[in-house]
Amino acid sequence: MNTHPNPTPLVSMTIGQALRTTAAQWPDRPGILFRKPRWQRSWQAFDQEVDRVARGLIALGFQKGDHIAIWGTNVPEWLLTQLAVARIGAILITLNPEWKQAELTYALQQSDTRGLVMIKGFEKPGKDKPFVYDYLGTLQAMIPELSGLPEDQDLQVAEFPALRRIVIVDDQRHPGMMRWEDLIASGDGVSDATLHQAEQQVDAEDVAMIQYTSGTTGFPKGAMLTHNNTVNNARIATAHLFLSEEDRLCGPVPFYHCFGSILVNLGCVVSGATMVIPGPIFDPHNTLEAIAQERATVVYGVPTMFITELDERDFAAYDLSSLRTGIMAGAPVDKELFEAVTRRMGATEITIAYGLTETSPVTHQTYASDPYEKRHSTVGRPIEHTEAKIIDPSTLDELPDGEVGEIVVRGFHVMKGYYQKPEETAKTMLDGGWLRSGDLGIRDRDGYYRIVGRLKEMLIVGGHNVYPAEVEQALHSLLSDKVEMLQVVGIPHPKLQEVVGLAVKLHPGQYLTLEEVKARCEGNLEWPKIPRQLKIMDDFSAVMTVTGKIQKFKLRELLNASEEPV
């Protein structure tokens, strides 16, 4: 167990209790601000609105333990649903806003979803034309029976036997679906005593949400996270930033992901910081504008988000002087990006966090007071009330400092298991409560951890183990004058088994060849780590998840389809 400057104690508290506490402590302080379209509430007003949604859910027959899914972008109704579902002891199922019909069908069936709250859809900008996500059309194609059903009665659908109600955020009426406004109105007849009774039945050890993993290797698994898991993780992560009710947190990360639903949404609930949401989906201009105009002191994001913000054509026009701190997480952070965020954006106290959906999510995080080199080259030490170690993934034996192995953790934040997947749970959970991360890392003698790649992404080049994150960090330094963003993957090779393939996005006006890459690597990298294939990318959006994570298997397919490695 690690010691921390001012360790945050664990509490036994439901999400509903956390919001009640903040609303009572800072009733009139600004709590929630959505900028596009503008929607803002004080903490007390927001708490009251959550009550209205909770009453509506009770009126529809929802109760403790029911599964209620939310499908949408960063809109007020998503946040209200999250808190209202938690308040009555139901379980929130978070659905990826970019899922298509096959993924949605799987998730609704696998999760035994009883209620679905959804928006009509959204558009995401593309290079040539926008990507259109037509939720309404997708659902009507999935459940054609909806066309003949009234709006105000329970559903009976053979393909989705658990599903009883669909609520849509739309002014128009649609067969088989209830409008959001009608959900709210339906709760007018539910008494305070009934709501209070429902709230009192919720225990802090109950499951609060089922968060699906990214599913980059097959169908996703639903991690069951409790109220205590999520509330305490939000408290500790924000304590690392010294967040208070005086702060204003700009959160452009998607709500469906634990970065959004827990670190942004619940992080603001437990700290009292004002939540500033730039828009329904990530946009670098909207994020910078939100920071500048709302005087945000905190900003969250994955590395690709910060890269695109820094790359904005009119970046210098934004006054970011209010920024103090934040969290970068979701992928390795190189020194150049860290320095740009601290110096150009002014977030001098920015922290790096590491974690998993299965751990609610943070397990490691830096402090602004850590040595500078540790702040950008590591993910910090295990957070309070957390144990971590490096093991040999084959033997499960613990490894000494300085050796690469799999990171395993245990603590308050570990999930209850994967919903309805006992075999997968057993593979992930070890004896003694240890959870396997699937990530390869190194612990130094000071107890700081560095991520070197996914266990499944490790390359074997002529018998040598090569770790993508380690190579990427080295290449960032060697190519920083020409390359804005890069990724490496393994490419099949007839003699060496596989070799390093490099994909890059160049700075405007730059030119790069494989020969130049090799020349810069000579004398700086061991031969197995030197790229043997280069692909120039306009951007990485085609291989990126909605949270900005690179899907290595898609990138590998792109490189495999191009020229042979040499």
Side-chain angles (χ1 to χ4, degrees):
M1 197 78 68
N2 283 283
T3 57
H4 289 263
N6 296 292
T8 303
L10 296 179
V11 297
S12 181
M13 180 182 287
T14 67
I15 292 169
Q17 289 169 339
L19 178 56
R20 291 277 191 230
T21 300
T22 294
Q25 193 168 2
W26 300 294
D28 300 322
R29 287 198 66 84
I32 314 294
L33 169 58
F34 287 81
R35 282 177 50 85
K36 295 180 183 290
R38 199 165 186 89
W39 187 97
Q40 58 191 99
R41 299 289 187 275
S42 68
W43 280 117
Q44 184 178 65
F46 178 67
D47 185 53
Q48 292 168 347
E49 197 141 352
V50 168
D51 276 349
R52 295 181 66 204
V53 180
R55 287 191 178 92
L57 294 174
I58 291 171
L60 295 189
F62 291 110
Q63 57 189 356
K64 179 179 177 178
D66 282 342
H67 291 188
I68 301 176
I70 178 75
W71 194 29
T73 52
N74 290 12
V75 294
E77 293 81 3
W78 204 111
L79 181 66
L80 287 165
T81 299
Q82 177 186 3
L83 275 295
V85 166
R87 178 151 286 172
I88 67 169
I91 298 172
L92 187 75
I93 313 296
T94 59
L95 304 175
N96 187 326
E98 293 195 3
W99 271 349
K100 303 296 194 299
Q101 183 169 329
E103 294 99 332
L104 182 66
T105 298
Y106 168 81
L108 292 180
Q109 291 174 338
Q110 198 276 331
S111 66
D112 296 316
T113 286
R114 184 175 174 83
L116 171 64
V117 179
M118 58 181 280
I119 62 174
K120 287 193 304 180
F122 71 101
E123 288 190 359
K124 179 181 174 182
K127 186 180 178 183
D128 300 316
K129 61 179 182 179
F131 297 99
V132 178
Y133 294 87
D134 180 10
Y135 289 7
L136 185 59
T138 298
L139 202 70
Q140 289 169 336
M142 285 169 53
I143 313 176
E145 302 97 310
L146 288 175
S147 60
L149 297 176
E151 304 167 18
D152 58 352
Q153 73 177 42
D154 283 359
L155 302 173
Q156 297 286 341
V157 181
E159 194 173 357
F160 303 94
L163 187 61
R164 290 293 176 268
R165 288 283 187 163
I166 299 172
V167 176
I168 187 165
V169 180
D170 191 14
D171 293 334
Q172 284 186 283
R173 298 188 180 277
H174 302 281
M177 304 180 188
M178 173 180 272
R179 296 185 308 162
W180 176 263
E181 291 80 359
D182 296 329
L183 164 72
I184 304 297
S186 70
D188 289 345
V190 176
S191 68
D192 289 346
T194 300
L195 175 60
H196 179 71
Q197 184 180 17
E199 201 170 349
Q200 289 300 108
Q201 293 176 352
V202 188
D203 188 89
E205 284 302 323
D206 290 339
V207 174
M209 58 176 65
I210 295 178
Q211 289 260 354
Y212 277 94
T213 57
S214 58
T216 54
T217 55
F219 280 113
K221 302 181 289 290
M224 296 184 289
L225 308 178
T226 69
H227 289 260
N228 270 344
N229 286 154
T230 55
V231 168
N232 281 295
N233 207 285
R235 292 178 75 250
I236 291 173
T238 53
H240 273 241
L241 310 178
F242 299 97
L243 237 61
S244 76
E245 75 280 5
E246 300 289 340
D247 281 298
R248 296 171 70 81
L249 192 159
C250 178
V253 293
F255 285 173
Y256 93 93
H257 192 272
C258 47
F259 203 168
S261 60
I262 299 173
L263 296 186
V264 173
N265 299 358
L266 297 188
C268 288
V269 166
V270 300
S271 67
T274 302
M275 182 191 310
V276 179
I277 305 302
I281 62 174
F282 173 68
D283 177 88
H285 165 76
N286 290 343
T287 302
L288 292 169
E289 187 177 67
I291 295 169
Q293 295 184 2
E294 307 300 338
R295 308 313 296 151
T297 57
V298 186
V299 63
Y300 286 2
V302 299
T304 50
M305 290 179 175
F306 284 99
I307 289 169
T308 54
E309 288 157 15
L310 289 158
D311 200 36
E312 270 292 286
R313 190 178 310 163
D314 56 347
F315 176 84
Y318 298 98
D319 177 6
L320 309 181
S321 58
S322 59
L323 269 186
R324 174 179 65 85
T325 187
I327 295 177
M328 276 197 282
V333 178
D334 61 84
K335 182 180 179 181
E336 288 74 22
L337 177 59
F338 183 85
E339 290 181 342
V341 171
T342 55
R343 295 173 185 175
R344 291 181 60 201
M345 293 185 76
T348 55
E349 299 175 18
I350 195 83
T351 69
I352 308 297
Y354 163 78
L356 311 161
T357 300
E358 292 86 343
T359 54
S360 314
V362 177
T363 63
H364 296 65
Q365 190 175 358
T366 60
Y367 278 102
S369 57
D370 285 334
Y372 185 78
E373 191 271 335
K374 305 285 190 187
R375 290 181 62 201
H376 67 75
S377 65
T378 78
V379 294
R381 295 170 295 171
I383 61 173
E384 296 97 305
H385 318 291
T386 299
E387 293 175 276
K389 60 184 179 181
I390 305 289
I391 65 167
D392 182 313
S394 301
T395 66
L396 305 185
D397 293 333
E398 184 171 0
L399 297 174
D401 293 343
E403 288 198 24
V404 174
E406 183 179 1
I407 298 172
V408 295
V409 298
R410 70 176 173 187
F412 70 91
H413 37 46
V414 172
M415 66 174 181
K416 281 200 166 182
Y418 296 119
Y419 182 70
Q420 301 283 39
K421 289 186 179 288
E423 291 183 6
E424 285 85 345
T425 300
K427 291 176 184 175
T428 303
M429 299 295 297
L430 301 175
D431 292 342
W434 292 96
L435 181 134
R436 301 187 67 165
S437 69
D439 287 321
L440 292 168
I442 299 174
R443 181 183 60 209
D444 67 23
R445 64 183 181 183
D446 298 317
Y448 290 83
Y449 284 67
R450 183 162 57 86
I451 311 302
V452 298
R454 290 289 293 168
L455 183 59
K456 293 177 181 177
E457 292 170 359
M458 184 183 74
L459 284 60
I460 300 178
V461 181
H464 298 264
N465 291 348
V466 173
Y467 307 106
E470 197 173 35
V471 177
E472 286 164 358
Q473 193 167 30
L475 290 174
H476 268 296
S477 296
L478 293 171
L479 303 171
S480 61
D481 60 321
K482 292 198 169 188
V483 171
E484 177 182 305
M485 185 175 173
L486 63 83
Q487 292 285 317
V488 303
V489 292
I491 304 298
H493 191 275
K495 292 182 179 179
L496 298 173
Q497 187 176 345
E498 57 185 344
V499 293
V500 174
L502 172 64
V504 303
K505 178 187 177 184
L506 298 174
H507 290 305
Q510 292 296 328
Y511 178 74
L512 186 67
T513 65
L514 180 61
E515 289 69 28
E516 184 177 354
V517 172
K518 288 181 175 181
R520 293 194 182 197
C521 290
E522 286 295 336
N524 291 300
L525 286 180
E526 300 168 79
W527 72 264
K529 299 176 182 178
I530 298 176
R532 294 185 176 228
Q533 187 172 322
L534 174 66
K535 184 171 182 64
I536 309 296
M537 309 272 288
D538 291 331
D539 60 58
F540 283 84
S541 58
V543 297
M544 199 177 284
T545 68
V546 68
T547 56
K549 286 187 176 182
I550 301 296
Q551 294 175 297
K552 295 273 189 176
F553 73 97
K554 287 188 176 181
L555 187 58
R556 192 176 297 111
E557 290 169 3
L558 277 180
L559 268 72
N560 281 337
S562 56
E563 72 273 10
E564 291 289 318
V566 294

